[in-house]
Each structure stands twice: as structure tokens, then as C-alpha cells.
Amino acid sequence: MCEWSGRWRVLVSLLVLLASGCGAPPAPDVLGFGISQAPRHLDPRFATDAVSERIVRLLYRRLVEFDEHDRPVPGLATWEAVTPRRYQFCLGAQGRDFADGSRLTAADVVATYASVLDPATASPHRAPLALIAAVAASDADCLEFTLKEPDALFPAYLGLGILPAAALARGHDFARAPLGSGPFRFVAWPAPGRVLLERRADGQRFAFLAVSDPNVRAMKLLRGEVALLQNDLSPELVTWLRRQPEVRVATHPGSNFSYLGFNLEDPVTGRLEVRQALAYALDRPAILRYLFQGLAREAHTLLPPTHWAGAPELRAPAYDPDRARALLATLGYDQTRPLRLKFKTSSDPFRLRIATILQAQWAAVGIELTIHSYDWGTFFGDIQAGRFQLYALTWVGVRTPDIFRHAFHSAALPPQGANRGRYRSAMVDRLIEQARAAPDLTVQAALYRALQAELLHDLPYIPLWYEDQVGVLRQELDGYRLAPDGRYDGLATTQKRRM
């Protein structure tokens, strides 16, 4: 009954919104892309939220890309390891013209990385690149990176969009007026929630329109005000949209990792027994079956099983409410004396529903959860600042196992990294350092598998799931392909068919 009542609420909401007639259709030559939140920063040195990073990928090219197993492959450049501490990169012929007509050279690559490495820039991407001792161009096409210490994975760190050196020197505002060599050029940012790009190959324009309410986004799609939606849609809304003749739904297995994070300096969530009890009281299969309706799969580790450093043999704690109660009893908690916790989440309706399900599942074993929801900016700001006891988030677009250094190394506490839970483990630090120093990726993979086993033991995160990528497109749209990490690269081949 609850499932059908939820679908009925979706239908009623959409009918009301359709009748209200808000918004005007886009210009005929512009394809609208409905997104849940606006990009925060379009400078690749500072972009960290998912929407910003995905749009930045369209505007800028990178030295290195990744294959289907997330191994580094040539992007703008090929490379060779001259010695374990020296890498030479040589630029290819493609993708070397900036949107202003200037030529991308090795000097632009040097200027980009020098800017990120400069402490005065305060780039959040500086920490993973700190092993670079020097970067210098040998000519217009080739440059060399010298490292402080060997790292066989080093090329995989070079996924930063390249900026023009001349514009960097004159202090150009890349955040508001991006200038790159990618397949799209920036046209305008006419309002805080609207960004206009143009595809350089044929002049086709795309408007990214931020609408926080998923029902309003769906309404705009059905009215033709946008041509495409991707993700941030509840499963029942997706089910309802499948029945609408104006649109079609596409899905793809996802690789973005959702998890529960803890403040390990908190006297309660800092206790391993508490985190273990929460994990055992969590019925993930039921959540995936009834809430996600099959549009997600269980996650056991941060890296998906198909990743070259993945650990498919590992398993997160299985649902065992009796074991959860026994652990809580050792700490003096039960149904009459519940463990009280504060949980932070965003104000997105679907994320709030997940929170209420966690609340109900944990209440059954003697855990009283208070939910605090905030707009995205406030919520994410609190997590970055460490103002939380327990929260849920998703790592998006993770390609390299250096994420473990960024998220779990004791030297990566904010602002030096994203160890927001203040997790400290000498064993994990040692495995991270050993993996970086390993001579090849095979040895690194074995060390990262051992590291992931240690993280499952300590539970600084409780793994949740990998959500599917979901796209909903107008019937006249062709050529868009979903990616496992949700990037928008499919817009490079998207066309509007004549109906």
C-alpha cells in the first residue's frame, strides 16, 4: 500500500505542476539538461562537487583518461617513465586548440600544474599532487615531471583540465568564464541556476537548468522545457516516467559509492562497537528491493569489483539484528535505554526517505536516530567542517585508488584532504605508503585489497550501494550514452531527431 500511495503522490504532484504552467520553453536551437543543483565552480583547479566536475570535463581536456577498468590511458598526451622518478609526457595532435583560438602547448600544462601546486592558490587538488618535485617543458610538445619519490600510478593523478598559461598569468576568472580546449565552449552563466554551453563541433547549444525538486524537473521534461534528465529521481518517479509516451528511460550500472560516514572523534560514533552495531542493524537488501526497486546494487568496498584495484572477495557486514542488539548490550544500551544519534542529510526528498528507513531499521535494535536535513550547500559545508556525528554521502567519479590517501590517511584531515571523519590508523597509513611506493600496479593492487579489508574491519565508513545511472530523454533525442560514474560526456554525440 505504501508503494502505491507514493506513486499516487508523484502522479498528483506532476498533474498539479503541469496545470500550473511554470517556465517558458527553451529556444528551438538549445537542448535543456535538467540538473538537481547548480555547479559551484567551473575552474578545474577548484571544482569538487559532482555537477561542477562533470561540466568541467566538457570544457577542458586532460593529459590522462581511463579505460573501463579505470587504468590510466592517454588523453592529450602519451608518456613514458624515463626513471622511477621522471616521467616524460608528449602532447598529441588532437584537442590542442583552446576555445579562444590559441594553441595548447606544454607551457600551458606546466602553468596549470604549477598553479595547483602553489600553496597560495589553495586548490583542493593540491594534496594528491604533492609528490611532484618539478614540472618543466622541454619544447612546445613535451614536458617532464620529476617526483619526490617513485609512484607507479603517477600518470593516473594527471586528470586535471588544462588551462591556458596566458590567461592564468593575467588572472582570468575561470570560475565564471571557463576557457578550455574541450569539446564544448562556455557561452554564458545568465543566472545562478542556468549555464549555457556550445558544442564546438557543430554549434549545438545546451542549457543546464538547476531545479531542486525532482517532480518539477520531470514536469519540465514532459513539457519540453528540457530534453534530458539524469539521476536524482526517485524510483517511483522513474517508474511513472517509463509509462509516459513523450520520453524514454535508460539505465546503466553505476560506480559511484554511497556510504555512511562517522565522526570518529565523537565519544559515541568513535567506538567501533557502535559502528558495528549500526552495520549489523542495516538491512541493505530490503532497501535496495523496496526503495530502489532494483536501481542499485550492494557495495562492499569503495572501489567497484571491476576496478583494477577492486576487492570482489570482500563483504561488508551482513544484516544481523540479533548481533547488533548484543553489541549494544555490551555498551549498556537496549530498547529501554536507547543509543541516541544525530544524522545529517540533504533536503532532497529521496535522501530523506532513505534516512527515515535507516531510522526505522535502527529503532528495531534500540537506536534512536534524530534526522537533521539541510539544503545541499549547508549540509556539505557541515560535513567538510566536521560538524556531524553521522551522515550519508556518495563518492562520485572515483577513478584512482589514491582516494584512500585522500579520504583515510591521517595526514589528510581537512583542509589537507577529505578525511572528514578524523580517522587515524597506523596500519592504513602504512598500507597507503607501501602501495604508493610499490614498483608496479600488480603489487599496488594487492596492497590496496589488504587496505580495503582493514577499512572493513575498522568501519570508518559503512558501505551502502552503487546506484544505477538513470537517464530520461525526450523521444526526439538520439545519441546520448550513460557512463558508470554519471559524467555528461554523452552530450558530445547527442542529436535532436526531426520528428
Side-chain angles (χ1 to χ4, degrees), residues 267-283:
V268 178
T269 51
R271 300 194 66 169
L272 176 59
E273 297 88 350
V274 168
R275 301 194 300 278
Q276 289 172 330
L278 289 166
Y280 286 124
L282 180 63
D283 190 350

Side-chain angles (χ1 to χ4, degrees), residues 29 185 197-206:
D29 61 338
R185 65 167 56 90
L197 305 186
E198 181 178 271
R199 191 163 58 198
R200 296 174 66 186
D202 59 6
Q204 174 65 59
R205 291 191 169 190
F206 293 84

